[in-house]
Amino acid sequence: MSTLTESLTPYIGLKSDVVVACDAVEEGAVRRFAQATMDERAIYGPAGADSRYGGPVAPPLYPALMFRRPLGAPDPVQIHADDPDWDGNAAAGTAGLPPIEPLREHSVLNGGAEVELYRYARHGEQVSMQSRYADMYEKVGRKGPMVLVILESEYRTLDSELLLRIRRTYIWSRM
């Protein structure tokens, strides 16, 4: 085990606080999302009221993309405007997790995502999210050593019913 891998061990399993989306699942936002993704099924609109899902629902990935900055909250771009090292990475799912200090000098690439859908979010429901560093390990690729960071985010209703789980892989390396 390398010293880098040993320095990552304390991060594995760390969880963010539970964050609640600033808006509930809302018909107009669902409509715009469905139109943007060219997936305009009837169950996403008023016609979905009689659906087997208990009412109109949002597209499967909608809960993961509904976490926005509430009106009046500080703008992260403005906060970091004078920081030449800020890479703009305010990635979905990382809210509340500490930065991985041993990887500060590394570059990051998106290594893909796995999605598990448990049920659709219904119009009017509030959605919460909690993320954790599920795993971190070193590999050697063609261009040298790299660290794979597995970030797992769960999206739930306020009644704790699981809607969606996303496992994202980030590849950190010195480029």
Side-chain angles (χ1 to χ4, degrees):
M1 180 181 286
S2 79
T3 56
L4 178 59
T5 302
E6 289 173 15
S7 67
L8 297 173
T9 303
Y11 290 90
I12 298 172
L14 286 181
K15 290 183 177 181
S16 69
D17 290 335
V18 174
V19 179
V20 178
C22 62
D23 298 313
V25 178
E26 186 266 321
E27 181 180 348
V30 168
R31 177 184 47 78
R32 288 187 298 278
F33 185 93
Q35 289 170 335
T37 58
M38 294 185 276
D39 179 12
E40 297 186 45
R41 287 185 245 173
I43 60 170
Y44 302 149
D50 297 327
S51 77
R52 66 182 184 162
Y53 304 109
V57 296
L61 291 178
Y62 181 85
L65 300 168
M66 65 183 288
F67 288 80
R68 297 179 282 282
R69 182 175 58 89
L71 283 175
D75 181 352
V77 174
Q78 293 299 319
I79 291 170
H80 297 283
D82 296 325
D83 181 359
D85 295 324
W86 191 62
D87 63 3
N89 187 8
T94 61
L97 286 171
I100 306 167
E101 290 300 324
L103 300 179
R104 187 168 288 286
E105 301 297 320
H106 290 65
S107 298
V108 64
L109 295 169
N110 181 346
E114 299 172 30
V115 177
E116 297 174 65
L117 175 67
Y118 291 87
R119 85 158 171 81
Y120 292 101
R122 293 183 196 98
H123 290 203
E125 285 187 311
Q126 287 285 151
V127 176
S128 69
M129 171 188 69
Q130 185 174 37
S131 297
R132 73 182 181 98
Y133 291 125
D135 200 4
M136 297 180 189
Y137 55 92
E138 243 180 312
K139 283 182 98 172
V140 177
R142 287 180 293 161
K143 296 192 178 200
M146 59 185 158
V147 175
L148 280 77
V149 174
I150 312 301
L151 179 83
E152 185 175 273
S153 300
E154 290 188 346
Y155 301 85
R156 296 178 177 272
T157 66
L158 292 189
D159 293 329
S160 296
E161 193 173 351
L162 185 59
L163 299 169
L164 188 66
R165 180 179 295 130
I166 300 178
R167 290 176 57 91
R168 296 173 178 91
T169 301
Y170 294 100
I171 305 166
W172 295 78
S173 65
R174 290 195 183 265
M175 295 203 150

